[in-house]
């Protein structure tokens, strides 16, 4: 049998060599290219962190403009001046002041009062920063001499001014009176206590050292929504979920840090889910329910000046002892005194203690102060005694303080 006849035709290749090379290169490129959605999630998470510095300060345009005008005016004048920026935590005070300082073109020294060992240490810190060297303890007189020696206007920013609240507020008065003693000084005080201007102003008015006051109101849900959208990439979180987060934050305390935190946590948890639904709404609700409201409360407490934190602790300690939700001011003050000694804070008089309870702490919504009905009857003839209680919707606070 003869062999089958071979075809004389040469088989044509399926691809040319050039095409194969191109195809391989294309495959390799596709393998290297990161999945875009993952990239967006990562950059969005980075941009939602508190260390991220945004391009614009959203919703504070008028405050920034007014502050810049005020500082420009003070820089041209042949005298010093003072500015007081007040508002609840997370309302953009620090960010706005930093942004405006970048525009005014004047030397400025920034001190965070929370990081000073004790309130009067600010004089030493300011002197050191002015001189660029570390010196021994300085006084107000040293600071005035150093400023005068420099002979040019200097903006002194005292952030977290609440930490300078001492027993008699004298340090705070001295800070705002500094420009009267030293024409080179422009003082900017930034504080979280919303009632501080009212407490300071009568005295400062009497001394004719009234600062220009800039109140920063809590953010509305619209502004919070814009701040979130500025930071997330390509609708990584869908709009209804962003709106919900903004609304819930505005309802808790308007602290934009809460909204940024919840969004970051929502992305973290969604990216680890095997099946990813399109909407973040359920996740946002879950995070607010599990920790959102508690972390809002915790943040409010952490941001209180140290003396107010001690007052709050003594109140909670008293309640934990009595297993009740109410206590008289006097009995809490008894608890407060040894606690304040242990904490190393200067002790408040009963009047100051009572003031803090009925103004600052009441404003945070953490406690309520009311006339004591039962006690009133017993103390007939004397002024009615007052009674502290936890603000009713916030009973979680008790659990939080006692449990942690
Ligand atoms: N208007 C805003 N636009 C963009 N980011 C903001 C704005 N306000 C606050 N933030 C961000 O929220 C965080 C808290 O702001 P901050 O200025 O420190 O508040 P405050 O000093 O009032 O406590 C910062 O990370 C800041 O970048
Ligand atoms: Mg601040």
């Amino acid at each position: 049998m003869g062999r089958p006849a071979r075809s004389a035709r040469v088989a044509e290749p399926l691809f040319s060599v050039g095409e194969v090379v191109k195809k391989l290169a294309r495959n390799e490129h596709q393998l290297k290219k990161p999945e875009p959605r993952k990239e967006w999630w990562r950059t969005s998470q980075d941009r939602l962190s508190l260390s991220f510095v945004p391009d614009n300060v959203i919703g504070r345009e008028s405050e920034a403009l007014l502050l810049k005008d005020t500082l420009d005016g003070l820089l041209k004048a042949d005298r010093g001046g003072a500015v007081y920026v007040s508002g609840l935590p997370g309302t953009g005070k620090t960010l706005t002041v930093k942004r405006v300082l970048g525009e005014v073109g004047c030397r400025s020294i920034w001190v965070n009062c929370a990081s000073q060992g004790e309130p009067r240490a600010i004089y030493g810190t300011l002197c050191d920063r002015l001189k660029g060297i570390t010196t021994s303890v300085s006084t107000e007189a040293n600071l005035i001499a150093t400023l005068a020696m420099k002979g040019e206007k200097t903006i002194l920013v005292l952030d977290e001014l609440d930490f300078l609240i001492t027993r008699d507020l004298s340090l705070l008065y001295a800070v705002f009176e500094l420009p009267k003693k030293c024409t080179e000084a422009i003082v900017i005080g930034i504080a979280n206590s919303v009632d501080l201007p009212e407490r300071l102003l009568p005295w400062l008015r009497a001394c004719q050292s009234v600062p220009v006051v800039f109140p920063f109101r809590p953010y509305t849900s619209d502004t919070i929504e814009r701040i979130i959208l500025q930071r997330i990439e390509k609708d990584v979180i869908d709009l209804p979920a962003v709106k919900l987060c903004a609304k819930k934050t505005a309802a808790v305390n308007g602290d934009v840090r809460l909204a940024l935190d919840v969004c970051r946590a929502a992305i973290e948890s969604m990216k680890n889910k095997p099946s990813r639904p399109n909407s973040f709404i359920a996740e946002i609700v879950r995070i607010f329910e599990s920790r959102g409201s508690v972390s809002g409360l915790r943040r409010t407490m952490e941001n209180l000046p140290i003396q107010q934190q001690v007052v709050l602790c003594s109140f909670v300690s008293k309640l934990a002892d009595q297993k009740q939700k109410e206590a008289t001011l006097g009995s809490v003050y008894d608890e407060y005194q040894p606690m304040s000694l242990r904490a190393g804070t200067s002790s408040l008089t009963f009047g100051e203690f009572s003031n803090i309870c009925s103004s600052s702490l009441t404003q945070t919504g953490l406690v309520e102060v009311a006339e004591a009905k039962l006690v009133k009857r017993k103390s007939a003839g004397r002024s009615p005694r007052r009674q502290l209680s936890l603000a009713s919707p916030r009973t979680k606070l008790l659990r939080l303080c006692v449990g942690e």
Side-chain angles (χ1 to χ4, degrees), residues 88-95 110 112 159-160 190-192 257:
L88 290 170
T91 51
K93 301 181 296 296
T94 300
L95 181 70
W110 189 287
N112 188 328
D159 199 2
E160 309 282 351
I190 309 176
N192 293 326
R257 294 172 304 174

Side-chain angles (χ1 to χ4, degrees), residues 312-331:
L312 196 61
C313 284
S314 56
F315 175 42
V316 172
S317 153
K318 183 83 205 156
L319 292 185
D321 265 4
Q322 297 183 339
K323 295 198 171 63
Q324 284 179 358
K325 287 188 182 167
E326 292 180 345
T328 59
L329 268 182
S331 68

Side-chain angles (χ1 to χ4, degrees), residues 16-297:
S16 73
V17 175
E19 270 175 320
V20 171
V21 170
K22 263 194 218 157
K23 199 169 177 209
L24 282 174
R26 210 165 40 235
N27 283 349
E28 197 181 345
H29 179 68
Q30 272 171 358
L31 277 177
K32 275 188 186 156
K33 210 164 84 182
E35 196 190 315
R37 195 148 187 89
K38 274 193 185 151
E39 268 308 284
W40 297 336
W41 281 3
R42 199 181 53 74
T43 42
S44 300
Q45 274 191 305
D46 289 348
R47 291 166 62 94
L48 286 164
S49 84
L50 293 186
S51 55
F52 174 77
V53 183
D55 295 336
N56 351 325
V57 185
I58 292 172
R60 291 292 179 213
E61 294 81 5
S62 57
E63 285 88 347
L65 215 65
L66 270 174
L67 181 59
K68 166 125 187 358
D69 281 354
T70 306
L71 292 177
D72 284 343
L74 290 173
L75 286 170
K76 281 188 209 124
D78 51 3
R79 58 188 165 83
V83 169
Y84 188 103
V85 176
S86 84
L88 290 170
T91 51
K93 301 181 296 296
T94 300
L95 181 70
T96 308
V97 174
K98 279 200 171 145
R99 194 52 57 93
V100 171
L101 285 184
E103 293 170 11
V104 289
C106 167
R107 188 168 59 142
S108 59
I109 310 270
W110 189 287
V111 173
N112 188 328
C113 302
S115 56
Q116 305 299 300
E118 66 99 26
R120 283 188 187 271
I122 52 153
Y123 289 125
T125 310
L126 286 168
C127 280
D128 288 356
R129 303 246 170 105
L130 276 166
K131 292 179 186 160
I133 50 164
T134 308
T135 48
S136 52
V137 184
S138 301
T139 58
E140 186 196 38
N142 297 137
L143 176 61
I144 292 174
T146 314
L147 282 165
M149 213 166 60
K150 292 271 168 197
E152 54 174 335
K153 286 256 163 92
T154 305
I155 300 178
L156 308 173
V157 188
L158 299 172
D159 199 2
E160 309 282 351
L161 194 69
D162 317 65
F163 286 85
L164 298 194
I165 301 178
T166 51
R167 186 183 173 129
D168 54 2
L169 296 181
S170 61
L171 185 58
L172 278 179
Y173 295 139
V175 162
F176 285 106
E177 281 187 81
L178 193 66
K180 230 172 67 182
K181 300 175 190 164
C182 173
T183 53
E184 283 82 14
I186 297 176
V187 173
I188 303 182
I190 309 176
N192 293 326
S193 316
V194 276
D195 66 326
L196 212 50
E198 287 84 65
R199 290 164 69 193
L200 286 176
L201 284 180
W203 168 275
L204 293 175
R205 220 171 265 133
C207 303
Q208 297 181 332
S209 316
V210 184
V212 185
V213 180
F214 286 87
F216 275 48
R217 310 210 176 290
Y219 286 127
T220 61
S221 66
D222 281 351
T223 311
I224 297 173
E225 181 185 322
R226 284 167 57 212
I227 294 174
I228 299 173
L229 290 175
Q230 178 200 39
R231 294 181 185 226
I232 56 174
E233 294 243 15
K234 312 264 181 205
D235 58 19
V236 155
I237 305 178
D238 53 300
L239 191 59
V242 171
K243 280 185 180 296
L244 178 76
C245 179
K247 281 215 165 73
K248 278 187 165 286
T249 306
V252 174
N253 54 11
D255 180 343
V256 74
R257 294 172 304 174
L258 175 62
L260 299 176
D261 202 29
V262 169
C263 287
R264 208 173 43 240
I267 295 180
E268 184 61 33
S269 110
M270 293 291 270
K271 79 179 181 196
N272 294 327
K273 285 208 167 129
S275 65
R276 294 167 189 155
N278 286 331
S279 173
F280 270 69
I281 286 193
E283 201 54 36
I284 299 271
V285 170
R286 190 191 64 75
I287 295 173
F288 266 102
E289 270 173 9
S290 69
R291 69 192 185 99
S293 53
V294 172
S295 81
L297 269 182

